[in-house]
Amino acid sequence: MAGNVWVLAEQWRGRLSDVTFELLALGRELATGLGTRLEAVLLGKDAGGLAAGLGAADGVLYVEHPTLAEPNPEAQCHALATLVEARKPHALLLPLSNVSADVVGLLPARLKIPLVNFCRDVTVADGQLQARAVLYGGKLEVTLAVPSPAVVGVLPGSRPASEGRKDGAPAVEDVKVTFPAEARVRFEQYIDPAPGDVDLTQQAALVSVGRGIQTKDNIELAEELAQALGGAVSASRPVIDQGWLPLTRQVGKSGATVKPKLYVAAGISGAPEHVEGMKGAELIIAINTDPQAPIFAVAHYGIVGDVLEVLPALTEAVKAKKG
Amino acid sequence: MNIVVLMKMVPDIVEELEIAPDGKSLDLEAIRPIVSERDDHALEQALLLKERSGGSVTALAFESRDVDEVLFTALAKGVDRAVKVSAGEEPLSTAEAAALMARVLPGVPNLMPADLILTGCQGIDDLDGVIAPCLAEHLRTPYLGIITGIETKEAGHATVYKEFAGGSRGQYVICLPAVLGVQAAEKPPRYVPVAKVRAVMKSRTIECVAAPAKEEASQLAIGAMTKPQAAGRAEMLEGDPTAVAAKVVEILSARGLA
């Protein structure tokens, strides 16, 4: 019989992350397909109570240690590597979130086992895991067999989190792991942003700008449309990195997760890191010069065109409608 | 503070990407290579550290198409040395590149030990590994990624800032030497005029070193590479900007949004 399927139960600041439940839903399918057990691995300090939320798993392996209180890739990797070497799971599913991505990179290197990164989906075929991974910002996909054992880095959104939220406390096994006396990486504190000028999560309409906006000055075109719609301007990572808008305006993996009634993606290609933060919007309208841009796969309506021409036309049309 | 910055070339994804005839790989002839965006941020962060605390910065990259321009640009921006590593024609996977780089670094004259090795926290082609943590494991140094700020006030340690979601950051102390994966520099990468790069091409040189033979092979075998088949696809609105704007307003009106 194959080794068990493991899922890292990501917890951050005392809560299980949504991606944990997505991975549990995915992991359940894989464990069933392989005819094996699904186990969740929970790491933390005074976090054992969170196991009660992991009812979708057949069992929970819990490692308690002070260095696991907050995300510490060195400590998390040490704990996971110790467990993997002792128990030999078939595969370990880890979320590609900012909390866990470092472990996705470290763990396979430490264990000298394969990593299959950027997975959008994993299935079972002929008794083996098959992965579909996205590369080049979502522009190409690859399919491949997942060796065993392997670490599988899974993009958020692989399954609905609701499918992995199950009642019923699984059996919890407290596993003792000996940690190095001296930690090479030490968590000090969180630095939370000062309240921003705008709370993106509360906006009914967002006009979000990406690389296609070209210059800082052009953001004014998005501001005008946002104003006409009664919403706010947000952005994808490249715009924030250029310092054109503050971090509080970022939508995506490192920024806010938004679900407005209207999301206008202006000059945004649709990399997985961005889509993660906006795919729940009720209506998505995307404008991009590239007809193959991945954003058109998540948008409800698409416009192939230059945002510098389309945004002013939209503003005028909305203003005219509103009188 | 001696800093090494690892840079790599990736396809410009603004351009169309073509799949090679084998159906399993990217057509490298058809791409426009650019420096990996996060590596450019790693370079900027290194230059900011040098400006604050002194020391040296060495930019290092595997030989590939257009990499000379990237390394000369790094020199024009202020790095002290630029090193190009030749490792043959065969493309390296990320895991292979990290393993090989770990064996290359000690052989580069007067380079190691470096206090910090910086590189991007992620590349768009990191299928079988991520360069910074892989390299850290090979070099047996500590690692932290998704970094957006570095301070080096205390000997033997660095205070680093790691990005989480929603604008929250974590402050960490890491023992040096260390490998850090940079998400974003504290300032946007600096611009350097083409004329300055051209001047540097005449006055400076890129050091060349040969990599030892590759010993590691990727543990993954790609079955097929395809363009994504979208589960859903946007309904495309066609026409000039005024025409599509009118259609959008109709859609918004029907939903009470305009």
Side-chain angles (χ1 to χ4, degrees):
Chain A
M1 184 169 131
N4 294 335
V5 172
W6 284 10
V7 162
L8 175 64
E10 179 183 292
Q11 56 97 4
W12 189 49
R13 303 178 95 166
R15 288 186 63 239
L16 291 167
S17 308
D18 276 355
V19 284
T20 295
F21 300 106
E22 295 174 12
L23 288 191
L24 284 171
L26 175 62
R28 168 54 61 204
E29 288 178 22
L30 303 183
T32 301
L34 292 170
T36 187
R37 277 165 54 88
L38 172 64
E39 292 178 317
V41 183
L42 179 63
L43 311 174
K45 165 90 168 54
D46 301 327
L50 294 174
L54 301 170
D58 297 313
V60 177
L61 305 173
Y62 176 55
V63 181
E64 162 104 12
H65 194 267
T67 58
L68 297 169
E70 306 298 343
N72 186 326
E74 289 271 327
Q76 292 164 295
C77 184
H78 176 78
L80 288 168
T82 304
L83 291 181
V84 169
E85 283 180 331
R87 298 175 182 235
K88 308 200 182 315
H90 185 88
L92 177 52
L93 309 182
L94 299 181
L96 286 165
S97 65
N98 279 8
V99 173
S100 299
D102 281 348
V103 188
V104 174
L106 266 180
L107 184 61
R110 183 159 303 176
L111 288 168
K112 296 183 170 49
I113 63 174
L115 166 66
V116 186
N117 206 10
F118 297 144
C119 291
R120 181 165 276 166
D121 196 12
V122 187
T123 53
V124 179
D126 299 327
Q128 189 174 19
L129 299 185
Q130 302 284 329
R132 181 164 61 87
V134 296
L135 295 176
Y136 310 114
K139 283 207 133 181
L140 292 175
E141 288 185 353
V142 290
T143 51
L144 67 162
V146 179
S148 180
V151 171
V152 182
V154 183
L155 291 165
S158 63
R159 295 291 183 277
S162 57
E163 291 181 10
R165 293 182 199 275
K166 294 274 163 61
D167 293 334
V172 180
E173 181 183 351
D174 287 307
V175 185
K176 302 297 175 207
V177 173
T178 304
F179 284 78
E182 295 282 323
R184 302 189 299 178
V185 177
R186 193 175 71 242
F187 174 85
E188 298 265 291
Q189 62 173 337
Y190 285 114
I191 302 167
D192 292 315
D197 51 345
V198 168
D199 181 353
L200 296 183
T201 63
Q202 300 302 311
Q203 299 295 316
L206 286 172
V207 180
S208 210
V209 292
R211 206 187 297 270
I213 201 71
Q214 298 181 20
T215 68
K216 184 177 182 179
D217 289 346
N218 288 337
I219 292 174
E220 193 178 338
L221 301 175
E223 292 279 7
E224 287 167 358
L225 178 58
Q227 202 169 17
L229 292 165
V233 169
S234 54
S236 63
R237 178 103 224 174
V239 171
I240 305 298
D241 283 348
Q242 287 299 322
W244 296 346
L245 283 171
L247 191 56
T248 49
R249 298 291 187 114
Q250 185 176 334
V251 170
K253 183 171 166 181
S254 299
T257 298
V258 297
K259 295 179 179 175
K261 291 181 186 302
L262 171 63
Y263 190 88
V264 179
I268 291 173
S269 65
E273 293 82 4
H274 182 74
V275 170
E276 180 184 332
M278 47 66 76
K279 63 180 187 297
E282 290 179 26
L283 176 64
I284 301 168
I285 298 175
I287 310 160
N288 204 292
T289 51
D290 177 6
Q292 303 302 321
I295 193 71
F296 290 128
V298 287
H300 301 98
Y301 294 95
I303 299 164
V304 177
D306 185 343
V307 293
L308 305 186
E309 295 173 2
V310 177
L311 285 177
L314 275 175
T315 304
E316 284 310 307
V318 171
K319 280 182 177 173
K321 174 71 180 173
K322 288 190 168 178
Chain B
M1 177 68 55
N2 294 319
I3 305 170
V4 173
V5 181
L6 304 180
M7 310 186 77
K8 79 167 176 180
M9 305 300 283
V10 295
D12 184 352
I13 56 172
V14 172
E15 308 282 329
E16 187 70 10
L17 299 183
E18 299 296 336
I19 297 164
D22 68 2
K24 299 177 180 181
S25 59
L26 186 65
D27 181 352
L28 294 173
E29 296 298 315
I31 67 160
R32 188 169 83 92
I34 57 169
V35 67
S36 180
E37 192 173 6
R38 301 286 144 228
D39 295 353
D40 209 22
H41 279 269
L43 175 67
E44 180 61 33
Q45 187 60 53
L47 293 169
L48 292 172
L49 285 171
K50 182 189 168 187
E51 286 164 4
R52 288 206 293 257
S53 314
S56 70
V57 177
T58 300
L60 194 143
F62 280 112
E63 184 168 19
S64 64
R65 183 153 56 98
D66 294 350
V67 78
D68 283 12
E69 190 179 326
V70 167
L71 290 172
F72 277 122
T73 302
L75 285 165
K77 286 182 173 182
V79 307
D80 301 276
R81 298 172 65 188
V83 179
K84 182 169 66 175
V85 181
S86 60
E89 295 292 311
E90 190 187 339
L92 298 168
S93 75
T94 303
E96 291 169 345
L100 191 55
M101 186 58 79
R103 292 191 292 118
V104 165
L105 289 174
V108 178
N110 307 314
L111 186 69
M112 300 295 276
D115 300 295
L116 276 175
I117 297 175
L118 305 185
T119 191
C121 63
Q122 178 179 295
I124 55 175
D125 55 355
D126 284 346
L127 179 65
D128 71 345
V130 184
I131 197 103
C134 280
L135 186 64
E137 281 299 311
H138 284 294
L139 297 175
R140 299 183 185 280
T141 63
Y143 157 79
L144 206 58
I146 320 182
I147 298 301
T148 57
I150 304 170
E151 294 166 358
T152 54
K153 293 172 186 163
E154 192 186 349
H157 296 85
T159 298
V160 300
Y161 299 89
K162 175 179 169 61
E163 191 172 89
F164 291 109
S168 294
R169 300 196 300 168
Q171 180 180 318
Y172 292 77
V173 172
I174 189 165
C175 295
L176 301 181
V179 179
L180 298 176
V182 175
Q183 168 79 303
E186 291 158 27
K187 293 180 180 176
R190 63 195 66 192
Y191 171 77
V192 61
V194 175
K196 189 172 179 187
V197 177
R198 286 194 181 135
V200 163
M201 285 176 170
K202 290 175 185 165
S203 62
R204 306 281 298 275
T205 55
I206 294 170
E207 299 167 47
C208 297
V209 299
K214 191 180 89 169
E215 292 176 354
E216 304 79 5
S218 177
Q219 300 179 79
L220 302 186
I222 291 174
M225 178 177 278
T226 56
K227 298 199 173 181
Q229 298 297 312
R233 173 79 183 165
E235 180 182 329
M236 304 308 286
L237 306 177
E238 293 176 356
D240 64 26
T242 307
V244 294
K247 290 176 186 170
V248 169
V249 167
E250 272 181 40
I251 294 161
L252 298 184
S253 295
R255 293 169 175 250
L257 295 170

